[in-house]
Amino acid sequence: MSYMEKGIDIHRRKRIALKVLKIAVGSSMAVVAAQFFNLQYATSAGIIALLTVQDTRRDTIQLTAERLLSFLLAVALIFVCFHYTGRLEWVNYGFYIFLMVTACYSIGWQNTISVNAVMGTHYLMSPDYSLGFAFNELSLVLIGTGMALAMNWKMPSNLKVIREDIKKVEDDMQTVLLELAKYLERAQSGDPVWLDLDQLEAYIHSALERAYEHAYNTMLEEDLYYVEYMEMRLQQCVMLQTLRSRVQKIREMPKQSELISSYLGYVAYYVHEKNIPDQQIKELERVFRRMEEEPLPKTREEFESRAILYHVMMDLEEFLFVKQRFADAKLKDL
């Protein structure tokens, strides 16, 4: 494990430890607050806080809104199922759970089911259908979700790790391109290229998750840039995976592969965040023209290999266009 990866792992452990601490403190404070207001089933406020604390501030806010909206649905279902049906409470509760779970899944409020189920048990144990008891239940929800929001309102910055992710992704992509250039020169086996490429894709996926987490915590539009940047790099990585599948089909490298190898070595040094690949695209057009000036293939095998190289160049063109579209979109936003 590299120094940077160790740092990211430590950051992840700190984030988990912080979430555990928030859950413990938030749940305890919710119970204390509910007891202070003499609410029935005060401990339920702690459970609501526990279930509402999420990994990001945005997710916590969204779940809080869903809990409040689903509360109105649950109260209506409870009133129908418990107040207007027979005396068999367990049958009423089962009917309520069936309708409530069905409705929540239909609307997309699956995360609210557990709290609504607990609220149903309160009505089951205390068959009180007054407005006062409904207000008691609403107060529990407000205290629990409010405490969860308070715990997640100030989130630690993840920007340093995001910037380290960008640097590592660019360095690793540069390494892959240089290794691929050597592979086309037949200077080494392709195994290091493919291994490093797979590791790069896996790392970009984890970096993309961290970028989303950062954006959902800050809830600032400008921080969506890091999400879009990692998505762009992931698209480029997919282009390289496609390129890999092509070059693996070449039985014997034709001499024209040296042109592409040289071009890959050139492109590798321009894999950085601020680069706009206009010049690299123009250089690729020159490589296309040089390939067209090459003598026609003399054997079937040479023809097939040259055809694959041509597709490799088109893959490289799309690789550059992905970055160009990203850069153009960012310029328009300025």
Side-chain angles (χ1 to χ4, degrees):
M1 185 180 291
S2 68
Y3 174 79
M4 185 176 296
E5 288 171 335
K6 287 181 180 178
I8 290 172
D9 185 61
I10 292 173
H11 175 82
R12 182 180 63 84
R13 292 175 182 272
K14 287 182 178 179
R15 187 187 66 201
I16 294 173
L18 180 61
K19 181 178 179 181
V20 171
L21 180 62
K22 287 179 177 180
I23 288 174
V25 173
S27 297
S28 301
M29 292 179 65
V31 173
V32 171
Q35 289 176 338
F36 176 81
F37 290 106
N38 294 319
L39 298 178
Q40 297 184 54
Y41 309 108
T43 53
S44 295
I47 300 300
I48 294 171
L50 182 152
L51 294 173
T52 306
V53 174
Q54 300 294 298
D55 291 333
T56 67
R57 184 168 61 170
R58 173 179 167 175
D59 290 340
T60 303
I61 292 173
Q62 180 177 344
L63 183 54
T64 296
E66 291 175 356
R67 289 214 190 287
L68 294 174
L69 292 173
S70 68
F71 170 81
L72 301 176
L73 172 66
V75 168
L77 291 176
I78 286 172
F79 195 73
V80 171
C81 295
F82 285 82
H83 188 61
Y84 286 111
T85 53
R87 298 289 183 179
L88 295 175
E89 288 85 358
W90 63 271
V91 174
N92 297 340
Y93 182 73
F95 189 46
Y96 160 71
I97 291 294
F98 175 79
L99 293 178
M100 184 268 295
V101 171
T102 301
C104 286
Y105 268 101
S106 300
I107 301 173
W109 291 344
Q110 295 93 321
N111 291 333
T112 67
I113 289 175
S114 55
V115 171
N116 292 338
V118 170
M119 189 167 63
T121 63
H122 294 171
Y123 277 92
L124 180 64
M125 292 183 289
S126 301
D128 183 352
Y129 308 108
S130 65
L131 186 61
F133 192 76
F135 181 75
N136 180 89
E137 297 300 296
L138 175 61
S139 299
L140 293 175
V141 173
L142 289 174
I143 290 173
T145 56
M147 200 60 66
L149 283 174
M151 291 296 101
N152 264 9
W153 196 253
K154 182 64 176 177
M155 300 293 287
S157 175
N158 209 21
L159 187 57
K160 181 179 179 181
V161 175
I162 300 287
R163 298 303 310 176
E164 290 175 349
D165 282 340
I166 290 175
K167 181 67 167 58
K168 178 171 174 56
V169 167
E170 291 175 352
D171 289 346
D172 290 356
M173 186 167 286
Q174 183 182 78
T175 298
V176 167
L177 289 171
L178 291 173
E179 288 175 346
L180 185 57
K182 292 180 180 179
Y183 177 77
L184 290 174
E185 285 182 338
R186 295 167 291 177
Q188 65 176 31
S189 166
D191 292 342
V193 187
W194 317 146
L195 178 62
D196 288 345
L197 181 54
D198 290 337
Q199 290 176 345
L200 171 61
E201 184 173 2
Y203 190 91
I204 293 176
H205 278 290
S206 61
L208 182 58
E209 290 180 6
R210 288 187 285 274
Y212 269 113
E213 179 186 337
H214 176 74
Y216 286 172
N217 277 332
T218 62
M219 299 180 68
L220 298 175
E221 187 175 352
E222 56 263 32
D223 284 333
L224 289 175
Y225 164 84
Y226 301 107
V227 174
E228 295 166 354
Y229 178 84
M230 286 302 172
E231 288 177 340
M232 178 271 294
R233 289 303 185 194
L234 185 58
Q235 289 181 51
Q236 287 191 313
C237 194
V238 170
M239 293 294 103
L240 293 178
Q241 293 282 14
T242 302
L243 190 151
R244 169 174 77 172
S245 67
R246 295 194 195 282
V247 298
Q248 283 179 316
K249 296 176 183 177
I250 300 178
R251 299 176 185 175
E252 184 176 349
M253 289 293 176
K255 67 175 184 177
Q256 289 77 14
S257 65
E258 295 176 2
L259 287 172
I260 302 177
S261 173
S262 176
Y263 179 75
L264 280 168
Y266 159 72
V267 167
Y269 291 103
Y270 291 93
V271 179
H272 54 81
E273 183 180 358
K274 301 302 181 182
N275 179 61
I276 299 176
D278 293 341
Q279 190 60 42
Q280 288 75 58
I281 292 173
K282 291 179 181 178
E283 183 63 29
L284 182 60
E285 291 172 355
R286 285 193 283 268
V287 176
F288 268 112
R289 288 195 294 269
R290 289 189 61 184
M291 289 285 286
E292 291 172 355
E293 295 169 358
E294 289 290 310
L296 294 174
K298 297 178 180 180
T299 65
R300 178 184 180 87
E301 184 175 283
E302 185 183 359
F303 174 81
E304 292 175 348
S305 298
R306 294 268 294 275
I308 292 174
L309 286 180
Y310 188 80
H311 283 288
V312 166
M313 292 170 62
M314 289 193 291
D315 292 335
L316 287 173
E317 185 177 47
E318 182 59 27
F319 175 88
L320 296 173
F321 282 159
V322 167
K323 178 62 186 299
Q324 187 181 53
R325 288 192 291 267
F326 171 80
D328 289 345
K330 296 302 104 182
L331 287 174
K332 289 179 181 179
D333 291 341
L334 294 178

